[in-house]
Amino acid sequence: MFNIVSLIIGAVAFICALVAFIPLLGWANWLIIPLAIIGAAVGMISRSTSGRNLNLFVIVIGVVRLMLGGGIL
């Protein structure tokens, strides 16, 4: 159950992260990263690791995008 919730949170965060790759929308990663952290925390409760791994992947994408944009763009 927790894994499904984590996967849903991760999928929403991943779609938002893809949108945040559009120039001048990089600030959205400041909202996406905490959402993915919540999803990873929920994923740690479950036995399966797929939800947790998806959220960790989204966190890495968001952090890399913030580094490329200088933290704002």
Side-chain angles (χ1 to χ4, degrees):
M1 179 68 182
F2 287 115
N3 190 45
I4 294 172
V5 173
S6 179
L7 283 170
I8 291 171
I9 293 171
V12 169
F14 184 69
I15 292 170
C16 293
L18 290 178
V19 172
F21 264 97
I22 297 173
L24 300 176
L25 290 180
W27 56 268
N29 285 307
W30 288 106
L31 304 173
I32 295 166
I33 292 173
L35 179 65
I37 290 172
I38 292 170
V42 171
M44 285 183 191
I45 298 172
S46 70
R47 286 187 220 165
S48 182
T49 60
S50 58
R52 183 197 64 202
N53 291 342
L54 174 63
N55 284 293
L56 292 176
F57 179 69
V58 172
I59 291 169
V60 169
I61 288 175
V63 168
V64 168
R65 174 62 174 96
L66 279 174
M67 288 186 339
L68 289 174
I72 298 173
L73 303 173

